[in-house]
Amino acid sequence: MVKKITLFMPPYSQYNVLHHFTKQLGSALERNGVECHILEAKYNNPKPFLEELFKEKPDATFSFNGLMPDEKGNFFSDMIKIPHVAALVDSPNRYLPLINSKYTIISCADRFGCDFFKGINFPKTFFLPHAVGRDEKHPAEAQRPIDVLVLATCMEYEDLLQSWKKKYPPAICAAMQEAIDASLNDNHTTYVQAFVSSIDKQLANGAPIKPEHLDYPQIFDDLESYLRAKDRIETIRNIHDVQIHIYGDGVGSNWKSTLSGKKNVTLHSSADFTKALDLMKQAKIIINSNPHFKNGAHERIFYGLNLGALVITNDNTYLREIFEPNKSIVLSQFGQWQELNDNIKHFLSNEKERQNIVHNAQSIIQKNHTWDNNAQILIKELPTLLSQVQG
């Protein structure tokens, strides 16, 4: 039985999202009978952090996106011999070094991430989806001056494609492009699965590829960046006749140049998580782009719906499992732009129907997708996983 868990506040979190999650999970664990402390290490004065940690001696420590090794490859959890849960909210390919830690347990917000780690012989993993605070709810009937809201960073996918040609031979580029097309047009095939399948085809056709020499983490990272960039840019480019408010800066590009000449877009600087939550309360519809999630869901989906906005997002296996399309969520498919435009116009014009979908979603989320639900998952899963940790 798990009695004590210490949460580590992340040293950095884009938009302060992970700080918010940490506080919400800490409160939820306390409500579910687990003694919980949140600690934050100061870079120039770690002594108070260590003293507090060893004084409490928890059954496990926990942090979002985990604790990566130092420059010598040492893991903090292995040195202090206290199991650590690395709760990944980003893609698993960025956190492969974690499998070298004896004391690390990995949770993933997409079930594919769990399969990914188990497939490379790391069994200490479990599914921990995104969630919302039980009190973070806002009525669908509230005043909503924003018709369509997008919260997204701009990345120019054509520039990414050009960078591939400098880094990879033609056969690898061809396999990567095929993987992107397959994943964008399929609601359950990940870019990892699609790339492996494409490489197999290239090899069968006699391509001069040595799979053992490929830098898979870098390739997967490049694939994900391109996939996300293309989906969000093409989605916005193909929404017409309604005003879209975009909050987000750029990486190597910016929305102003990328969407040059598009009259129905109003651009704003990026919003931290607190402001983003307030914006969701003001939006009728949120367009969410996360094509890399195939068996999981981004927090914007749960928060957007729970705060009263209708969320239109990429179709995937997990979302169809927990929601009913057009009854508690609206799903979209890359390239089906007329259907996307028709849905946006329909739900902007049919307020009662839009609100009914949001009400249905809120009932589902409040029952099954709060941080209290996640605290209960942790309490259930950890005893078995802790027994697998090797000293």
Side-chain angles (χ1 to χ4, degrees):
M1 182 176 176
V2 177
K3 296 181 179 179
K4 291 183 181 181
I5 295 178
T6 296
L7 306 184
F8 295 155
M9 190 65 80
Y12 169 78
S13 169
Q14 190 176 27
Y15 312 127
N16 293 319
V17 177
L18 302 187
H19 289 76
H20 185 90
F21 290 178
T22 302
K23 293 173 184 176
Q24 286 289 337
L25 180 60
S27 298
L29 285 167
E30 289 280 359
R31 287 193 294 269
N32 282 272
V34 176
E35 186 178 338
C36 183
H37 297 271
I38 298 177
L39 299 181
E40 185 170 4
K42 302 297 183 183
Y43 181 77
N44 57 353
N45 185 22
K47 185 178 178 182
F49 169 87
L50 294 171
E51 287 177 346
E52 186 71 16
L53 176 61
F54 288 117
K55 181 177 74 175
E56 298 302 331
K57 193 63 177 177
D59 298 306
T61 61
F62 179 106
S63 67
F64 286 101
N65 281 345
L67 299 177
M68 296 293 279
D70 63 20
E71 64 278 0
K72 295 181 180 179
N74 298 314
F75 290 89
F76 182 65
S77 57
D78 293 359
M79 291 189 284
I80 64 174
K81 299 191 183 302
I82 298 176
H84 179 72
V85 178
L88 304 188
V89 297
D90 294 325
S91 298
N93 45 280
R94 301 177 185 180
Y95 297 93
L96 283 176
L98 292 175
I99 68 173
N100 298 313
S101 169
K102 293 180 179 180
Y103 280 83
T104 293
I105 295 164
I106 300 174
S107 75
C108 300
D110 187 313
R111 285 180 178 139
F112 168 74
C114 299
D115 295 337
F116 179 88
F117 284 113
K118 289 175 182 177
I120 54 176
N121 298 316
F122 188 88
K124 297 176 294 181
T125 183
F126 68 106
F127 179 53
L128 190 70
H130 279 289
V132 301
R134 65 177 188 175
D135 299 322
E136 295 182 302
K137 184 180 176 182
H138 197 67
E141 295 79 8
Q143 283 291 106
R144 296 185 174 272
I146 301 173
D147 280 347
V148 178
L149 173 66
V150 174
L151 299 162
T153 302
C154 180
M155 299 181 290
E156 182 50 71
Y157 65 89
E158 291 294 349
D159 293 342
L160 294 172
L161 183 60
Q162 293 305 313
S163 72
W164 293 1
K165 296 177 181 179
K166 297 177 182 178
K167 288 196 290 187
Y168 306 114
I172 300 300
C173 288
M176 292 172 74
Q177 188 62 66
E178 183 179 350
I180 288 293
D181 293 340
S183 191
L184 274 176
N185 292 288
D186 189 317
N187 66 3
H188 61 268
T189 301
T190 69
Y191 57 87
V192 172
Q193 294 165 321
F195 178 72
V196 172
S197 176
S198 297
I199 285 294
D200 288 342
K201 290 179 184 177
Q202 291 282 345
L203 289 170
N205 291 329
I209 299 173
K210 294 184 177 180
E212 66 275 14
H213 292 164
L214 299 181
D215 185 351
Y216 288 100
Q218 182 61 60
I219 289 173
F220 294 156
D221 203 40
D222 286 342
L223 284 169
E224 183 189 329
S225 294
Y226 185 94
L227 184 76
R228 294 170 67 183
K230 184 168 184 174
D231 183 80
R232 67 184 58 170
I233 289 174
E234 291 304 314
T235 296
I236 294 169
R237 280 176 175 165
N238 285 283
I239 296 175
H240 308 295
D241 305 324
V242 297
Q243 196 63 28
I244 309 168
H245 287 265
I246 301 176
Y247 286 78
D249 298 323
V251 177
S253 185
N254 61 73
W255 286 118
K256 185 176 182 179
S257 60
T258 299
L259 300 175
S260 177
K262 192 161 179 62
K263 305 293 186 182
N264 65 321
V265 170
T266 302
L267 302 177
H268 308 266
S269 296
S270 61
D272 68 14
F273 198 61
T274 300
K275 183 176 180 180
L277 296 181
D278 184 60
L279 291 168
M280 291 179 191
K281 294 176 184 178
Q282 300 179 53
K284 295 183 181 77
I285 293 175
I286 293 172
I287 303 296
N288 180 65
S289 170
N290 290 115
H292 57 301
F293 275 94
K294 298 297 185 180
N295 206 348
H298 194 274
E299 84 270 354
R300 274 194 299 271
I301 298 170
F302 294 121
Y303 274 97
L305 290 164
N306 207 49
L307 293 174
L310 176 68
V311 174
I312 300 179
T313 190
N314 311 80
D315 194 354
N316 80 35
T317 303
Y318 178 67
L319 292 177
R320 284 183 173 271
E321 177 185 318
I322 63 176
F323 296 116
E324 185 177 352
N326 298 322
K327 297 294 184 181
S328 49
I329 199 168
V330 177
L331 302 175
S332 64
Q333 181 65 51
F334 183 86
Q336 296 182 9
W337 307 127
Q338 188 60 54
E339 181 180 348
L340 174 63
N341 277 276
D342 289 346
N343 277 331
I344 293 171
K345 293 175 185 177
H346 173 78
F347 290 114
L348 286 177
S349 301
N350 292 270
E351 189 168 340
K352 192 63 179 176
E353 185 179 356
R354 187 182 76 244
Q355 290 171 358
N356 285 339
I357 291 175
V358 173
H359 291 156
N360 293 337
Q362 288 178 332
S363 297
I364 293 167
I365 291 166
Q366 288 291 310
K367 183 179 179 180
N368 298 312
H369 301 283
T370 67
W371 287 112
D372 286 76
N373 294 121
N374 278 19
Q376 291 158 18
I377 292 173
L378 263 178
I379 293 166
K380 178 183 177 182
E381 295 283 352
L382 272 184
T384 299
L385 291 163
L386 291 174
S387 69
Q388 298 176 25
V389 171
Q390 300 176 11

